[in-house]
Amino acid sequence: TEESLRLHSLTLSQIQDRVAVTDPEGRITYVNDAACRMLGMRPEQLVGRHVSAFGEDASLGASQTPA
């Protein structure tokens, strides 16, 4: 299980798409390197903030792709 968690963590950090994980209230609990680069911020500057820090419209859903 521990090895599996390490693999998942490594995979998420290396994905070139922005990945952010939030709690049910919309607070960021994890953000990958691509998201940090896009925002010009470090993970510790984003974790704990509301997902609105991304400046996107939550009504568009997870992909933020307009319908």
Side-chain angles (χ1 to χ4, degrees):
T1 301
E2 194 171 312
E3 183 61 31
S4 178
L5 288 173
R6 268 194 289 271
L7 176 62
H8 289 114
S9 177
L10 180 62
T11 302
L12 285 173
S13 24
Q14 293 182 2
I15 290 175
Q16 295 304 306
D17 293 326
R18 294 176 292 161
V19 175
V21 178
T22 66
D23 66 13
E25 288 77 40
R27 301 274 170 220
I28 299 168
T29 59
Y30 170 84
V31 63
N32 74 344
D33 294 339
C36 291
R37 281 192 305 275
M38 186 274 304
L39 293 170
M41 301 175 86
R42 295 183 313 276
E44 58 270 15
Q45 293 174 292
L46 292 166
V47 171
R49 292 182 64 185
H50 192 266
V51 73
S52 61
F54 283 97
E56 296 169 346
D57 186 350
S59 68
L60 297 175
S63 69
Q64 295 295 301
T65 304

